[in-house]
Amino acid sequence: KVLIDGQHRLEGIRRSGTVQLCLIVEGLSMDAQEVIDTNAYRSFADDLQFRNVLSVSAVAAITRRVLIFKRGSLPQTGGAASTPTKTELMAFYEANTPALADAAKIAIRCSNAKLTVPGSVLASAYYLCAEKDQVAAGIFYGEQVIDGVNIDVTDPAFRLRYKIGRSKDDRLTGNELFLYAVKSWNHFRKNEKLHKLQAPRDGWPKSMTDLVIH
């Protein structure tokens, strides 16, 4: 059996050496944890932790970024209207669990490779591109961008790796790196060579729903 609330209270009783009368309710689903102690802040990552989700931080960050993107915005730029609630995040997670777990593996590989980009940023781009072609997304983001395998200086993956390496000097935000990750993917899909990875001349799309992923 799993105790989903009252651990501190029981530990206090144990340490006091006294006998106390407690009410124990059995048979509740793990979903009950999400509405217990609602006055105490619990993050979406906390809710995932209660469900024994692996790579909780990565999965939570990817879920949030992808869902906000699908709403036509970017994290921290779209205002409160684009900020999903925990209920919405959990619903998206439950509907897309295998794909999010797959993307989390990209985030972990990115962190292990010590690339200077948050793993969840690259993994979120991978998630969206994998919806188009999972095998190609694995080759581009996994083998080429993260591992640097079989690429030359004019390949989109090489240019993205260079952009990532320069990100601190250029003061690029996570959102900008996400957009570059998608843009380089589009060049890869078109089998185009690059000498430089740049933002569009007329700027990035005003709405992320206008950002085409090939």
Side-chain angles (χ1 to χ4, degrees):
K1 293 184 179 181
V2 177
L3 181 67
I4 62 174
D5 190 47
Q7 293 91 339
H8 292 147
R9 183 179 298 110
L10 293 179
E11 177 63 12
I13 294 172
R14 186 191 70 81
R15 292 186 180 186
S16 71
T18 62
V19 177
Q20 302 291 334
L21 180 64
C22 298
L23 173 65
I24 299 176
V25 179
E26 297 183 332
L28 296 176
S29 89
M30 289 300 293
D31 294 345
Q33 179 66 66
E34 296 168 16
V35 293
I36 290 175
D37 293 339
T38 52
N39 289 330
Y41 178 75
R42 296 186 190 275
S43 68
F44 172 55
D46 290 332
D47 291 344
L48 292 177
Q49 184 74 58
F50 294 132
R51 294 177 178 229
N52 296 318
V53 174
L54 299 177
S55 307
V56 167
S57 296
V59 171
I62 296 165
T63 302
R64 185 180 301 279
R65 180 174 288 276
V66 169
L67 183 53
I68 290 176
F69 173 88
K70 285 179 174 290
R71 289 184 168 189
S73 188
L74 285 171
Q76 302 172 343
T77 62
S82 69
T83 302
T85 64
K86 287 199 298 178
T87 300
E88 292 168 333
L89 288 167
M90 187 58 74
F92 186 82
Y93 167 76
E94 291 177 340
N96 301 279
T97 299
L100 289 164
D102 183 47
K105 294 177 183 177
I106 291 292
I108 294 169
R109 288 176 62 180
C110 181
S111 299
N112 291 340
K114 294 182 169 50
L115 296 183
T116 55
V117 57
S120 63
V121 170
L122 201 64
S124 297
Y126 164 83
Y127 179 99
L128 294 164
C129 296
E131 289 184 322
K132 301 290 184 178
D133 189 327
Q134 185 175 16
V135 173
I139 293 172
F140 180 72
Y141 289 104
E143 296 179 14
Q144 295 189 357
V145 177
I146 295 176
D147 297 338
V149 174
N150 297 325
I151 56 175
D152 62 37
V153 295
T154 60
D155 284 329
F158 182 94
R159 303 321 310 178
L160 178 58
R161 283 172 61 91
Y162 180 81
K163 180 67 70 174
I164 290 171
R166 292 277 308 167
S167 61
K168 289 186 177 180
D169 292 335
D170 294 341
R171 297 183 180 180
L172 296 176
T173 65
N175 286 340
E176 288 172 312
L177 287 170
F178 169 80
L179 292 168
Y180 279 119
V182 172
K183 188 173 189 293
S184 60
W185 158 265
N186 286 340
H187 287 296
F188 166 79
R189 291 282 278 176
K190 296 176 183 178
N191 199 29
E192 295 175 341
K193 297 295 183 179
L194 291 177
H195 292 285
K196 194 173 185 179
L197 182 61
Q198 296 177 302
R201 290 185 178 181
D202 54 352
W204 298 109
K206 299 300 181 184
S207 170
M208 292 302 100
T209 54
D210 297 328
L211 181 66
V212 177
I213 299 177
H214 295 286

